[in-house]
PDB file of all heavy atoms in Angstrom:
ATOM      1  N   GLY D 186     115.068 124.276 100.182  1.00  0.00           N
ATOM      2  CA  GLY D 186     114.346 125.471  99.745  1.00  0.00           C
ATOM      3  C   GLY D 186     113.287 125.214  98.689  1.00  0.00           C
ATOM      4  O   GLY D 186     112.812 126.141  98.035  1.00  0.00           O
ATOM      5  N   LEU D 187     112.893 123.940  98.504  1.00  0.00           N
ATOM      6  CA  LEU D 187     111.859 123.611  97.512  1.00  0.00           C
ATOM      7  C   LEU D 187     110.521 123.391  98.210  1.00  0.00           C
ATOM      8  O   LEU D 187     110.485 123.007  99.374  1.00  0.00           O
ATOM      9  CB  LEU D 187     112.248 122.334  96.752  1.00  0.00           C
ATOM     10  CG  LEU D 187     113.548 122.388  95.948  1.00  0.00           C
ATOM     11  CD1 LEU D 187     113.892 120.998  95.406  1.00  0.00           C
ATOM     12  CD2 LEU D 187     113.428 123.387  94.801  1.00  0.00           C
ATOM     13  N   SER D 188     109.447 123.632  97.471  1.00  0.00           N
ATOM     14  CA  SER D 188     108.120 123.325  98.015  1.00  0.00           C
ATOM     15  C   SER D 188     107.305 122.589  96.965  1.00  0.00           C
ATOM     16  O   SER D 188     107.577 122.669  95.772  1.00  0.00           O
ATOM     17  CB  SER D 188     107.393 124.604  98.433  1.00  0.00           C
ATOM     18  OG  SER D 188     108.099 125.216  99.490  1.00  0.00           O
ATOM     19  N   PHE D 189     106.300 121.872  97.455  1.00  0.00           N
ATOM     20  CA  PHE D 189     105.460 121.017  96.600  1.00  0.00           C
ATOM     21  C   PHE D 189     104.084 121.668  96.505  1.00  0.00           C
ATOM     22  O   PHE D 189     103.285 121.592  97.431  1.00  0.00           O
ATOM     23  CB  PHE D 189     105.363 119.636  97.239  1.00  0.00           C
ATOM     24  CG  PHE D 189     104.906 118.547  96.316  1.00  0.00           C
ATOM     25  CD1 PHE D 189     105.820 117.697  95.703  1.00  0.00           C
ATOM     26  CD2 PHE D 189     103.555 118.333  96.071  1.00  0.00           C
ATOM     27  CE1 PHE D 189     105.401 116.669  94.873  1.00  0.00           C
ATOM     28  CE2 PHE D 189     103.127 117.315  95.234  1.00  0.00           C
ATOM     29  CZ  PHE D 189     104.061 116.473  94.635  1.00  0.00           C
ATOM     30  N   LEU D 190     103.826 122.337  95.382  1.00  0.00           N
ATOM     31  CA  LEU D 190     102.606 123.132  95.234  1.00  0.00           C
ATOM     32  C   LEU D 190     101.611 122.443  94.308  1.00  0.00           C
ATOM     33  O   LEU D 190     101.996 121.796  93.332  1.00  0.00           O
ATOM     34  CB  LEU D 190     102.952 124.511  94.662  1.00  0.00           C
ATOM     35  CG  LEU D 190     103.934 125.347  95.485  1.00  0.00           C
ATOM     36  CD1 LEU D 190     104.268 126.634  94.743  1.00  0.00           C
ATOM     37  CD2 LEU D 190     103.361 125.641  96.868  1.00  0.00           C
ATOM     38  N   LEU D 191     100.337 122.606  94.626  1.00  0.00           N
ATOM     39  CA  LEU D 191      99.256 122.033  93.814  1.00  0.00           C
ATOM     40  C   LEU D 191      98.566 123.187  93.098  1.00  0.00           C
ATOM     41  O   LEU D 191      98.043 124.090  93.743  1.00  0.00           O
ATOM     42  CB  LEU D 191      98.267 121.298  94.725  1.00  0.00           C
ATOM     43  CG  LEU D 191      98.926 120.376  95.781  1.00  0.00           C
ATOM     44  CD1 LEU D 191      97.866 119.782  96.711  1.00  0.00           C
ATOM     45  CD2 LEU D 191      99.734 119.267  95.106  1.00  0.00           C
ATOM     46  N   VAL D 192      98.607 123.136  91.767  1.00  0.00           N
ATOM     47  CA  VAL D 192      98.218 124.322  90.997  1.00  0.00           C
ATOM     48  C   VAL D 192      97.133 123.971  89.979  1.00  0.00           C
ATOM     49  O   VAL D 192      97.296 123.038  89.178  1.00  0.00           O
ATOM     50  CB  VAL D 192      99.460 124.878  90.244  1.00  0.00           C
ATOM     51  CG1 VAL D 192      99.107 126.141  89.486  1.00  0.00           C
ATOM     52  CG2 VAL D 192     100.617 125.118  91.205  1.00  0.00           C
ATOM     53  N   PRO D 193      96.017 124.732  89.986  1.00  0.00           N
ATOM     54  CA  PRO D 193      94.988 124.498  88.959  1.00  0.00           C
ATOM     55  C   PRO D 193      95.531 124.938  87.591  1.00  0.00           C
ATOM     56  O   PRO D 193      96.184 125.981  87.491  1.00  0.00           O
ATOM     57  CB  PRO D 193      93.820 125.396  89.380  1.00  0.00           C
ATOM     58  CG  PRO D 193      94.232 126.099  90.628  1.00  0.00           C
ATOM     59  CD  PRO D 193      95.659 125.818  90.908  1.00  0.00           C
ATOM     60  N   ILE D 194      95.257 124.159  86.568  1.00  0.00           N
ATOM     61  CA  ILE D 194      95.842 124.445  85.249  1.00  0.00           C
ATOM     62  C   ILE D 194      95.031 125.473  84.467  1.00  0.00           C
ATOM     63  O   ILE D 194      95.586 126.280  83.727  1.00  0.00           O
ATOM     64  CB  ILE D 194      95.958 123.136  84.430  1.00  0.00           C
ATOM     65  CG1 ILE D 194      97.071 122.285  85.047  1.00  0.00           C
ATOM     66  CG2 ILE D 194      96.235 123.417  82.964  1.00  0.00           C
ATOM     67  CD1 ILE D 194      97.529 121.146  84.204  1.00  0.00           C
ATOM     68  N   ASP D 195      93.718 125.425  84.658  1.00  0.00           N
ATOM     69  CA  ASP D 195      92.875 126.292  83.842  1.00  0.00           C
ATOM     70  C   ASP D 195      92.885 127.722  84.389  1.00  0.00           C
ATOM     71  O   ASP D 195      91.980 128.133  85.096  1.00  0.00           O
ATOM     72  CB  ASP D 195      91.446 125.720  83.831  1.00  0.00           C
ATOM     73  CG  ASP D 195      90.561 126.487  82.849  1.00  0.00           C
ATOM     74  OD1 ASP D 195      91.118 127.258  82.028  1.00  0.00           O
ATOM     75  OD2 ASP D 195      89.342 126.333  82.920  1.00  0.00           O
ATOM     76  N   GLN D 196      93.927 128.488  84.057  1.00  0.00           N
ATOM     77  CA  GLN D 196      94.037 129.893  84.483  1.00  0.00           C
ATOM     78  C   GLN D 196      94.983 130.589  83.519  1.00  0.00           C
ATOM     79  O   GLN D 196      95.818 129.945  82.864  1.00  0.00           O
ATOM     80  CB  GLN D 196      94.560 129.980  85.922  1.00  0.00           C
ATOM     81  CG  GLN D 196      95.927 129.318  86.115  1.00  0.00           C
ATOM     82  CD  GLN D 196      96.561 129.681  87.459  1.00  0.00           C
ATOM     83  OE1 GLN D 196      96.678 130.850  87.794  1.00  0.00           O
ATOM     84  NE2 GLN D 196      96.969 128.654  88.203  1.00  0.00           N
ATOM     85  N   PRO D 197      94.882 131.890  83.412  1.00  0.00           N
ATOM     86  CA  PRO D 197      95.672 132.614  82.404  1.00  0.00           C
ATOM     87  C   PRO D 197      97.181 132.452  82.595  1.00  0.00           C
ATOM     88  O   PRO D 197      97.924 132.494  81.621  1.00  0.00           O
ATOM     89  CB  PRO D 197      95.262 134.079  82.611  1.00  0.00           C
ATOM     90  CG  PRO D 197      94.052 134.066  83.472  1.00  0.00           C
ATOM     91  CD  PRO D 197      93.972 132.762  84.176  1.00  0.00           C
ATOM     92  N   GLY D 198      97.651 132.258  83.811  1.00  0.00           N
ATOM     93  CA  GLY D 198      99.094 132.177  84.049  1.00  0.00           C
ATOM     94  C   GLY D 198      99.733 130.863  83.639  1.00  0.00           C
ATOM     95  O   GLY D 198     100.948 130.707  83.751  1.00  0.00           O
ATOM     96  N   VAL D 199      98.935 129.906  83.184  1.00  0.00           N
ATOM     97  CA  VAL D 199      99.496 128.594  82.819  1.00  0.00           C
ATOM     98  C   VAL D 199      99.264 128.337  81.334  1.00  0.00           C
ATOM     99  O   VAL D 199      98.123 128.440  80.861  1.00  0.00           O
ATOM    100  CB  VAL D 199      98.849 127.453  83.645  1.00  0.00           C
ATOM    101  CG1 VAL D 199      99.412 126.102  83.223  1.00  0.00           C
ATOM    102  CG2 VAL D 199      99.061 127.674  85.134  1.00  0.00           C
ATOM    103  N   THR D 200     100.335 128.036  80.607  1.00  0.00           N
ATOM    104  CA  THR D 200     100.208 127.719  79.182  1.00  0.00           C
ATOM    105  C   THR D 200     100.789 126.328  78.924  1.00  0.00           C
ATOM    106  O   THR D 200     101.894 126.031  79.364  1.00  0.00           O
ATOM    107  CB  THR D 200     100.997 128.729  78.321  1.00  0.00           C
ATOM    108  OG1 THR D 200     100.624 130.038  78.727  1.00  0.00           O
ATOM    109  CG2 THR D 200     100.719 128.534  76.844  1.00  0.00           C
ATOM    110  N   VAL D 201     100.023 125.514  78.208  1.00  0.00           N
ATOM    111  CA  VAL D 201     100.452 124.142  77.924  1.00  0.00           C
ATOM    112  C   VAL D 201     100.640 123.982  76.424  1.00  0.00           C
ATOM    113  O   VAL D 201      99.734 124.279  75.653  1.00  0.00           O
ATOM    114  CB  VAL D 201      99.383 123.141  78.422  1.00  0.00           C
ATOM    115  CG1 VAL D 201      99.731 121.722  77.989  1.00  0.00           C
ATOM    116  CG2 VAL D 201      99.234 123.217  79.938  1.00  0.00           C
ATOM    117  N   ARG D 202     101.828 123.558  76.005  1.00  0.00           N
ATOM    118  CA  ARG D 202     102.098 123.363  74.573  1.00  0.00           C
ATOM    119  C   ARG D 202     102.576 121.939  74.308  1.00  0.00           C
ATOM    120  O   ARG D 202     103.615 121.532  74.810  1.00  0.00           O
ATOM    121  CB  ARG D 202     103.239 124.298  74.166  1.00  0.00           C
ATOM    122  CG  ARG D 202     102.758 125.485  73.369  1.00  0.00           C
ATOM    123  CD  ARG D 202     103.952 126.230  72.807  1.00  0.00           C
ATOM    124  NE  ARG D 202     103.942 127.597  73.256  1.00  0.00           N
ATOM    125  CZ  ARG D 202     105.030 128.310  73.521  1.00  0.00           C
ATOM    126  NH1 ARG D 202     106.234 127.751  73.418  1.00  0.00           N
ATOM    127  NH2 ARG D 202     104.929 129.549  73.892  1.00  0.00           N
ATOM    128  N   PRO D 203     101.832 121.191  73.529  1.00  0.00           N
ATOM    129  CA  PRO D 203     102.211 119.801  73.250  1.00  0.00           C
ATOM    130  C   PRO D 203     103.566 119.689  72.538  1.00  0.00           C
ATOM    131  O   PRO D 203     103.943 120.582  71.773  1.00  0.00           O
ATOM    132  CB  PRO D 203     101.097 119.292  72.336  1.00  0.00           C
ATOM    133  CG  PRO D 203      99.972 120.245  72.531  1.00  0.00           C
ATOM    134  CD  PRO D 203     100.568 121.567  72.885  1.00  0.00           C
ATOM    135  N   ILE D 204     104.277 118.621  72.807  1.00  0.00           N
ATOM    136  CA  ILE D 204     105.547 118.335  72.130  1.00  0.00           C
ATOM    137  C   ILE D 204     105.392 117.002  71.411  1.00  0.00           C
ATOM    138  O   ILE D 204     104.971 116.008  72.015  1.00  0.00           O
ATOM    139  CB  ILE D 204     106.709 118.221  73.140  1.00  0.00           C
ATOM    140  CG1 ILE D 204     106.809 119.482  74.000  1.00  0.00           C
ATOM    141  CG2 ILE D 204     108.028 117.936  72.425  1.00  0.00           C
ATOM    142  CD1 ILE D 204     107.840 119.365  75.118  1.00  0.00           C
ATOM    143  N   ARG D 205     105.724 117.014  70.144  1.00  0.00           N
ATOM    144  CA  ARG D 205     105.578 115.781  69.368  1.00  0.00           C
ATOM    145  C   ARG D 205     106.689 114.797  69.736  1.00  0.00           C
ATOM    146  O   ARG D 205     107.850 115.178  69.882  1.00  0.00           O
ATOM    147  CB  ARG D 205     105.647 116.106  67.881  1.00  0.00           C
ATOM    148  CG  ARG D 205     105.056 115.020  67.041  1.00  0.00           C
ATOM    149  CD  ARG D 205     104.895 115.469  65.598  1.00  0.00           C
ATOM    150  NE  ARG D 205     104.206 114.458  64.825  1.00  0.00           N
ATOM    151  CZ  ARG D 205     104.420 114.219  63.540  1.00  0.00           C
ATOM    152  NH1 ARG D 205     105.291 114.953  62.873  1.00  0.00           N
ATOM    153  NH2 ARG D 205     103.754 113.266  62.915  1.00  0.00           N
ATOM    154  N   GLN D 206     106.337 113.532  69.845  1.00  0.00           N
ATOM    155  CA  GLN D 206     107.285 112.499  70.289  1.00  0.00           C
ATOM    156  C   GLN D 206     107.678 111.591  69.127  1.00  0.00           C
ATOM    157  O   GLN D 206     107.114 111.693  68.040  1.00  0.00           O
ATOM    158  CB  GLN D 206     106.631 111.677  71.408  1.00  0.00           C
ATOM    159  CG  GLN D 206     106.210 112.557  72.557  1.00  0.00           C
ATOM    160  CD  GLN D 206     105.334 111.881  73.603  1.00  0.00           C
ATOM    161  OE1 GLN D 206     104.863 112.538  74.491  1.00  0.00           O
ATOM    162  NE2 GLN D 206     105.129 110.581  73.493  1.00  0.00           N
ATOM    163  N   ILE D 207     108.604 110.668  69.379  1.00  0.00           N
ATOM    164  CA  ILE D 207     109.084 109.813  68.289  1.00  0.00           C
ATOM    165  C   ILE D 207     107.985 108.939  67.700  1.00  0.00           C
ATOM    166  O   ILE D 207     108.094 108.458  66.586  1.00  0.00           O
ATOM    167  CB  ILE D 207     110.297 108.944  68.701  1.00  0.00           C
ATOM    168  CG1 ILE D 207     109.920 107.857  69.697  1.00  0.00           C
ATOM    169  CG2 ILE D 207     111.433 109.795  69.253  1.00  0.00           C
ATOM    170  CD1 ILE D 207     111.041 106.838  69.917  1.00  0.00           C
ATOM    171  N   THR D 208     106.908 108.764  68.435  1.00  0.00           N
ATOM    172  CA  THR D 208     105.788 107.988  67.918  1.00  0.00           C
ATOM    173  C   THR D 208     104.950 108.811  66.935  1.00  0.00           C
ATOM    174  O   THR D 208     104.085 108.265  66.255  1.00  0.00           O
ATOM    175  CB  THR D 208     104.847 107.591  69.072  1.00  0.00           C
ATOM    176  OG1 THR D 208     104.555 108.791  69.811  1.00  0.00           O
ATOM    177  CG2 THR D 208     105.499 106.587  70.001  1.00  0.00           C
ATOM    178  N   GLY D 209     105.168 110.122  66.909  1.00  0.00           N
ATOM    179  CA  GLY D 209     104.335 111.001  66.101  1.00  0.00           C
ATOM    180  C   GLY D 209     103.240 111.645  66.942  1.00  0.00           C
ATOM    181  O   GLY D 209     102.682 112.687  66.597  1.00  0.00           O
ATOM    182  N   ASP D 210     102.952 111.008  68.055  1.00  0.00           N
ATOM    183  CA  ASP D 210     101.900 111.419  68.971  1.00  0.00           C
ATOM    184  C   ASP D 210     102.460 112.495  69.915  1.00  0.00           C
ATOM    185  O   ASP D 210     103.670 112.697  69.984  1.00  0.00           O
ATOM    186  CB  ASP D 210     101.569 110.153  69.777  1.00  0.00           C
ATOM    187  CG  ASP D 210     100.241 110.239  70.467  1.00  0.00           C
ATOM    188  OD1 ASP D 210      99.550 111.248  70.280  1.00  0.00           O
ATOM    189  OD2 ASP D 210      99.916 109.285  71.191  1.00  0.00           O
ATOM    190  N   ALA D 211     101.577 113.209  70.640  1.00  0.00           N
ATOM    191  CA  ALA D 211     102.057 114.188  71.610  1.00  0.00           C
ATOM    192  C   ALA D 211     101.389 113.936  72.949  1.00  0.00           C
ATOM    193  O   ALA D 211     100.311 114.452  73.223  1.00  0.00           O
ATOM    194  CB  ALA D 211     101.788 115.605  71.135  1.00  0.00           C
TER     195      ALA D 211
END
Side-chain angles (χ1 to χ4, degrees):
Chain D
L187 299 172
S188 296
F189 198 98
L190 301 175
L191 314 175
V192 183
I194 289 194
D195 187 13
Q196 58 167 308
V199 178
T200 309
V201 173
R202 255 190 238 146
I204 304 174
R205 199 169 186 212
Q206 303 170 186
I207 70 169
T208 51
D210 198 3

